Amino acid sequence: MKLLTQILSLLIIILLISCAKQSTPMGGDKDETPPKLVSVKPINESTNVSPQTIELEFDEFIKIDNPNKQIIITPKIKKDEMVVTAIKNKVVIKLNQDLEENTTYVFNFQKSIQDITESNPAENLKLVFSTGDKIDSLKFSGKVSYVFPPKDKFMKDVLVGLYEKNDTTDVLTAPPYYIAATDSSGNFEITNIKAGDYRAYAWFDSNNSLKAEEKSEPYAFYGDTITIDKDVENINFMLSKADISDLKINRSSTIGENFDIVLSKFPTDITIEHEDLGKKLFYRQNEKNIRFYHTEIRNDSIKTRVSLKDSVGFKLDTLIYLTFEESERNKEKLETTTNSGSNFLKNIKAEYTFNKPITDINLDSLYIKFDTASTIQIKKEWIYLKDSANYTKLLMDIPILDTLPNTTYTIYAADSTFKDVEGLYNEKKVEASYKKLNPETLVTSLDVVVDTEFRPLLIQLLDKSGKVIKEVLKEDTNKHSFTDFEAGTYNLRVIFDENKNKRWDPSNMRQNRQAEKVFYYKNPTDITSMDIIIKGGWTNDIVVLTSNSTEKTSEENIEQDKTEEIIPDTEENELLRR
């Protein structure tokens, strides 16, 4: 009897523990039902309220996920003072700050509120109220895209913001007054806007700072002030990186027997003016560092003009005294990289990059090997500098006779073939291989028409990795035929080369200059695909559509809004029940 009593007592204890423990029920169908809102304080679309606390009650236990990032509040408030807690089936938000008078506030909860069982987020959860006697109802909407589409086709962490016209901050310095996140396709809508004049921006916010980091995060801006006195629609932003920080010299000093200039950012153009340049004075660029070498001067200095330009067009023009001193510091070894692995049809296009300027080449130890024992001696006239002032970039244009076999050709440079400005040689042999293509297997032609009147056009053919295979600048026509390349899958890109420098240029917000426009060919039967599948021996015709023929730019949409009445959408979409 005593044993039976003990067993019954143990079972009761186990049962009580099981009942007390909160857990997900075992078995049964997976819970896919999102939590439903039961009540909210203040009531949605209330007027003349200025709450210090907001409460939301749901039909089940819930949790809160990253509220500082997920909950988007417009106009902006001090989020670092806000405290959000989830207790059983309630979310309580303590604002801990005063709200502006006569202002409509929108709390967009996105996917921040979830049930505790399967993390199903509450759907379309938005709270709107006004501290004044009316609810502002104007909208600002459109789409955000990337100038250069990322691998991930789904948009994430991209925001759009409106700053009041007289606000001295912008997207690079502070969060906006109104803000909204795009959906996965890049569409955005800012609602409940007060009539007024604004400046508009879009940006990728990877660190949740609610502003763009100019050195690392792509962003876009609308060039003019936007007057919002009715709904503004179909605004397009194109995101790209643009570092508009000052171009300056951070440091300059002697390094061993050489002289270094360390810049604040990467220069795209370098011009050095001195009578010894290319004779006794040489330089190399390594990211933000420019190193000068002189073959004769020691313990003395020379006055040199240095002119620099960065990607956004900022310039730096200055006179510098380059100092060269005696030093026992070990010299940097000569290193070489090549474009080994490239293919060719008639001429080998070899590229050699050195970590230091080259002053001499021993042609006797530079030749081509093929078919085991066959060789071709490389001639001086086949070798030239990519830039006449930069002795670190060497090109070779080597003709291969049609009668020679379609095989792999290896440019062989024995040790001590290349001599650098400091008198050092390459210590090891350098080999670079290039495959000769069979013309019978190549694409006959890819005929391109760009649907635009703009000139000049920089047309680029890219492989699947994004590498430019072929490119051409067209100044007088919108047509071009790419020939003699391997079959495969490609993309085609067109750049409106406004300044004719044969490259794409980013925006400059300080100068109110937009980035150069970029357009990709899109499959007419599937606009989500940019792939061009080309077979050997075929001729292909494609048309690249630009915004001039497919959609209006932001500026054009605003101009249309000034002349055409937009009929507002009167259908209510109440996301919170009173």
Side-chain angles (χ1 to χ4, degrees):
M1 186 69 180
K2 184 177 180 181
L3 177 62
L4 180 61
T5 303
Q6 290 177 338
I7 293 174
L8 289 174
S9 300
L10 180 61
L11 289 174
I12 292 171
I13 292 172
I14 293 173
L15 182 62
L16 289 173
I17 293 173
S18 300
C19 292
K21 182 178 179 182
Q22 186 180 28
S23 62
T24 303
M26 299 296 291
D29 295 334
K30 180 180 179 181
D31 179 14
E32 296 182 353
T33 304
K36 295 180 180 179
L37 186 69
V38 174
S39 65
V40 59
K41 297 178 183 178
I43 295 174
N44 187 48
E45 296 192 353
S46 297
T47 57
N48 295 312
V49 294
S50 185
Q52 280 295 306
T53 301
I54 295 171
E55 295 184 8
L56 300 97
E57 184 178 350
F58 296 87
D59 64 346
E60 59 180 309
F61 284 11
I62 47 84
K63 62 182 179 180
I64 192 79
D65 178 40
N66 197 1
N68 277 347
K69 180 177 181 179
Q70 290 272 13
I71 303 176
I72 295 180
I73 305 169
T74 59
K76 65 180 178 182
I77 68 171
K78 298 175 182 176
K79 274 191 164 186
D80 55 345
E81 297 184 8
M82 183 179 73
V83 177
V84 183
T85 56
I87 304 172
K88 294 184 178 180
N89 65 331
K90 287 186 178 182
V91 171
V92 178
I93 303 173
K94 294 184 178 180
L95 299 179
N96 296 321
Q97 59 197 286
D98 294 328
L99 301 179
E100 295 183 32
E101 296 180 354
N102 299 315
T103 301
T104 299
Y105 283 88
V106 180
F107 285 66
N108 189 333
F109 294 91
Q110 300 195 95
K111 298 181 179 181
S112 61
I113 299 176
Q114 306 168 358
D115 63 35
I116 62 170
T117 55
E118 298 293 344
S119 299
N120 297 309
E123 296 178 345
N124 300 324
L125 199 59
K126 184 188 290 186
L127 170 63
V128 180
F129 62 85
S130 175
T131 58
D133 57 8
K134 68 174 184 177
I135 298 288
D136 295 318
S137 59
L138 296 176
K139 298 178 182 179
F140 179 74
S141 61
K143 186 177 180 66
V144 181
S145 305
Y146 283 90
V147 171
F148 301 103
K151 292 182 180 180
D152 188 354
K153 294 183 179 180
F154 296 103
M155 193 83 68
K156 61 180 181 179
D157 296 328
V158 173
L159 304 176
V160 179
L162 294 175
Y163 291 73
E164 293 179 300
K165 177 183 178 180
N166 297 325
D167 191 341
T168 58
T169 65
D170 58 38
V171 70
L172 300 178
T173 56
Y177 191 70
Y178 288 105
I179 192 170
T182 69
D183 63 17
S184 60
S185 298
N187 301 304
F188 72 87
E189 182 181 70
I190 302 178
T191 63
N192 302 99
I193 302 170
K194 184 187 301 184
D197 295 332
Y198 299 92
R199 291 173 288 116
Y201 303 85
W203 68 100
F204 172 61
D205 189 26
S206 61
N207 61 356
N208 193 32
S209 65
L210 301 183
K211 61 184 183 67
E213 309 299 331
E214 64 181 336
K215 294 181 182 294
S216 60
E217 295 178 339
Y219 62 94
F221 64 95
Y222 182 75
D224 298 323
T225 299
I226 300 175
T227 298
I228 300 181
D229 53 10
K230 55 187 174 183
D231 291 352
V232 176
E233 302 173 327
N234 302 319
I235 300 301
N236 300 301
F237 290 102
M238 300 297 295
L239 302 180
S240 62
K241 292 182 180 179
D243 181 0
I244 59 172
S245 61
D246 292 334
L247 174 61
K248 58 186 178 180
I249 296 175
N250 286 342
R251 178 174 57 84
S252 60
S253 62
T254 56
I255 301 293
E257 293 184 348
N258 310 311
F259 189 88
D260 275 14
I261 295 175
V262 181
L263 304 171
S264 61
K265 58 201 298 192
F266 182 90
T268 56
D269 297 286
I270 301 174
T271 302
I272 310 297
E273 296 180 26
H274 193 277
E275 59 184 8
D276 287 345
L277 185 66
K279 302 171 185 176
K280 302 175 184 178
L281 177 66
F282 301 87
Y283 77 92
R284 72 102 190 267
Q285 178 190 354
N286 184 8
E287 297 295 333
K288 296 185 289 185
N289 177 287
I290 302 175
R291 175 165 293 179
F292 291 90
Y293 305 80
H294 204 289
T295 58
E296 294 183 3
I297 291 178
R298 292 294 177 269
N299 301 321
D300 203 353
S301 62
I302 57 173
K303 184 170 67 173
T304 305
R305 179 170 292 280
V306 178
S307 299
L308 307 169
K309 185 178 180 181
D310 66 15
S311 62
V312 297
F314 291 154
K315 298 179 181 180
L316 178 63
D317 192 347
T318 184
L319 286 173
I320 297 179
Y321 283 88
L322 307 178
T323 303
F324 302 96
E325 299 178 354
E326 295 283 354
S327 175
E328 296 181 359
R329 180 173 176 168
N330 291 334
K331 294 180 173 62
E332 185 180 11
K333 291 183 178 181
L334 178 62
E335 298 177 355
T336 311
T337 58
T338 71
N339 65 332
S340 179
S342 301
N343 299 330
F344 71 97
L345 184 61
K346 295 182 178 180
N347 287 30
I348 296 176
K349 304 286 187 180
E351 298 182 6
Y352 281 64
T353 302
F354 303 89
N355 63 326
K356 293 193 290 182
I358 297 299
T359 58
D360 194 21
I361 301 174
N362 181 10
L363 292 176
D364 292 338
S365 61
L366 184 63
Y367 54 90
I368 295 174
K369 299 189 298 184
F370 68 100
D371 276 2
T372 308
S374 301
T375 62
I376 302 172
Q377 196 69 39
I378 293 179
K379 299 178 181 180
K380 183 179 180 180
E381 56 265 31
W382 296 344
I383 305 173
Y384 57 98
L385 293 173
K386 188 172 185 178
D387 179 343
S388 60
N390 187 350
Y391 284 71
T392 65
K393 305 286 186 180
L394 197 67
L395 302 182
M396 300 183 195
D397 191 350
I398 305 169
I400 301 297
L401 297 176
D402 293 338
T403 55
L404 293 179
N406 298 324
T407 185
T408 297
Y409 293 74
T410 300
I411 299 178
Y412 178 86
D415 61 275
S416 302
T417 297
F418 303 108
K419 180 183 178 181
D420 70 30
V421 68
E422 295 184 301
L424 301 183
Y425 294 87
N426 58 297
E427 296 181 352
K428 299 179 181 180
K429 65 180 181 180
V430 180
E431 291 184 296
S433 298
Y434 304 85
K435 180 182 177 182
K436 185 180 180 183
L437 299 172
N438 183 352
E440 295 180 0
T441 65
L442 301 183
V443 175
T444 302
S445 177
L446 175 63
D447 299 330
V448 180
V449 177
V450 185
D451 187 17
T452 181
E453 298 296 323
F454 184 88
R455 305 289 186 275
L457 302 170
L458 183 60
I459 307 176
Q460 299 176 327
L461 185 66
L462 295 79
D463 65 15
K464 285 295 291 180
S465 69
K467 179 182 177 181
V468 176
I469 302 300
K470 291 175 176 283
E471 72 175 5
V472 62
L473 184 69
K474 310 299 289 189
E475 298 183 285
D476 302 318
T477 179
N478 64 334
K479 300 178 181 179
H480 182 72
S481 295
F482 289 107
T483 59
D484 298 329
F485 60 96
E486 290 184 283
T489 302
Y490 295 88
N491 295 154
L492 192 126
R493 181 167 68 202
V494 177
I495 298 172
F496 283 13
D497 190 20
E498 297 177 6
N499 59 1
K500 302 182 182 180
N501 65 354
K502 297 183 180 181
R503 66 171 181 248
W504 174 80
D505 290 292
S507 64
N508 188 322
M509 199 164 66
R510 288 193 196 174
Q511 298 174 355
N512 199 27
R513 188 185 71 240
Q514 296 291 338
E516 289 182 328
K517 294 179 180 179
V518 179
F519 304 95
Y520 286 80
Y521 167 79
K522 294 184 178 179
N523 191 320
T525 60
D526 180 10
I527 61 173
T528 64
S529 173
M530 299 187 296
D531 291 345
I532 308 170
I533 302 174
I534 308 176
K535 298 181 179 180
W538 284 38
T539 297
N540 297 264
D541 301 302
I542 65 171
V543 176
V544 181
L545 300 177
T546 69
S547 65
N548 292 340
S549 55
T550 59
E551 61 182 16
K552 293 182 174 63
T553 63
S554 301
E555 289 83 354
E556 289 170 337
N557 280 307
I558 291 294
E559 192 62 33
Q560 175 179 286
D561 289 345
K562 294 178 180 177
T563 58
E564 297 180 11
E565 181 180 359
I566 297 177
I567 302 174
D569 184 2
T570 57
E571 182 180 355
E572 293 184 359
N573 183 18
E574 187 177 46
L575 301 178
L576 289 176
R577 300 300 179 189
R578 292 182 182 272

